[in-house]
Amino acid sequence: MLYTKLLSAAVALLAIDTSYSFGFPPPERLSRLLKATDSGEAPIILMPCCYDGITARLVAQSGFNATFMTGFGVSGANGYPDTQLVSFNEMVLAASKVAEGLSSAALENVKFGEPDYTGQPPVAIPCIADGDTGYGNAINVKRTVFGYARTGMAGMMIEDQVAPKRCGHVAGKAVIPFDEAVQRVKAACDARDEYEALFGKGTGPLILARTDSLVTDGFGKHTLLHQFVFCMRN
């Protein structure tokens, strides 16, 4: 009982005005939420992870404003460790189930089509999908972005580990060279722009660039991490 009250209080504190999101595709919804946070209009977004339809529904029905589809969770749900044994197609299938869960939760939350429908537009919370290493070369990265975009993902995280990658929480990780990492992220951004050229502004998933070089190289002025952050900012 106490846990439920504390969770409800936390959700109330983290609530963001969903009017930022009405009538926009998922990437644009996420972008508006992030801008509201960055401007100080809204608090930092608490984003629990999900890995299938039921966990996505739980996040949405609990009142959170965004979620993240975790590769660790998808791997575990399929009976594997997070060592990139799960394929691109399996991840896209998981993203489709997540999107379905978020959509159905949005309809239920406002009782859309029911006699006591409030009139408030149903808004599915945005989801960022784990893109791992992009599942291959730059062409594969582009395919991954398009695949996630078609399922309704609002964003995609891409990382600089070697393939097959390892879970970010365990030892033994290795990263690709800096220039190759930048090209991997650039390929994802190019794919986002190409998707928007085809389907309209705001439809391409936001790209989240991640580096594991802090573990492999440490932090300093001339480390890979420093170069990576500088490059992404410019």
Side-chain angles (χ1 to χ4, degrees), residues 48-56 67-87 90-91 93-95 97-98 128-132 135 148 157 165-169 210:
C49 292
C50 63
Y51 51 84
D52 61 7
I54 187 65
T55 53
T67 185
F68 182 89
M69 189 187 79
T70 160
F72 179 93
V74 174
S75 296
N78 281 277
Y80 298 111
D82 188 15
T83 53
Q84 210 167 345
L85 293 172
V86 175
S87 69
E90 289 169 300
M91 290 296 289
L93 178 60
K97 294 177 180 178
V98 165
I128 300 175
D130 192 344
D132 292 319
Y135 309 102
Y148 279 149
M157 184 174 75
K165 50 127 341 175
R166 295 173 65 87
C167 173
H169 305 299
R210 164 186 155 181

Side-chain angles (χ1 to χ4, degrees), residues 38-119:
D38 190 51
S39 67
E41 297 177 60
I44 293 174
I45 303 168
L46 184 61
M47 192 168 59
C49 292
C50 63
Y51 51 84
D52 61 7
I54 187 65
T55 53
R57 285 170 60 86
L58 288 171
V59 173
Q61 292 178 338
S62 296
F64 295 98
N65 296 292
T67 185
F68 182 89
M69 189 187 79
T70 160
F72 179 93
V74 174
S75 296
N78 281 277
Y80 298 111
D82 188 15
T83 53
Q84 210 167 345
L85 293 172
V86 175
S87 69
F88 160 75
N89 285 327
E90 289 169 300
M91 290 296 289
V92 170
L93 178 60
S96 297
K97 294 177 180 178
V98 165
E100 185 66 30
L102 296 177
S103 297
S104 60
L107 293 169
E108 291 173 9
N109 285 344
V110 299
K111 300 182 179 180
F112 188 73
E114 299 297 325
D116 53 348
Y117 172 50
T118 63

Side-chain angles (χ1 to χ4, degrees), residues 70-223:
T70 160
F72 179 93
V74 174
S75 296
N78 281 277
Y80 298 111
D82 188 15
T83 53
Q84 210 167 345
L85 293 172
V86 175
S87 69
F88 160 75
N89 285 327
E90 289 169 300
M91 290 296 289
V92 170
L93 178 60
S96 297
K97 294 177 180 178
V98 165
E100 185 66 30
L102 296 177
S103 297
S104 60
L107 293 169
E108 291 173 9
N109 285 344
V110 299
K111 300 182 179 180
F112 188 73
E114 299 297 325
D116 53 348
Y117 172 50
T118 63
Q120 179 183 356
V123 179
I125 66 172
C127 178
I128 300 175
D130 192 344
D132 292 319
T133 61
Y135 309 102
N137 59 22
I139 302 300
N140 296 101
V141 171
K142 287 193 172 188
R143 181 172 180 243
T144 302
V145 173
F146 267 67
Y148 279 149
R150 292 190 186 100
T151 67
M153 293 294 100
M156 187 188 94
M157 184 174 75
I158 189 79
E159 61 190 71
D160 63 348
Q161 281 197 51
V162 299
K165 50 127 341 175
R166 295 173 65 87
C167 173
H169 305 299
V170 302
K173 294 185 290 293
V175 297
I176 58 178
F178 172 75
D179 290 341
E180 187 178 339
V182 172
Q183 289 304 311
R184 184 179 286 177
V185 176
K186 188 177 183 301
C189 293
D190 288 346
R192 172 204 60 205
D193 295 343
E194 290 170 6
Y195 193 88
E196 291 195 344
L198 287 169
F199 300 105
K201 184 175 175 57
T203 60
L206 276 62
I207 304 301
L208 172 64
R210 164 186 155 181
T211 178
D212 282 277
S213 61
L214 177 62
V215 175
T216 60
D217 293 71
F219 184 78
K221 188 174 181 180
H222 301 292
T223 61

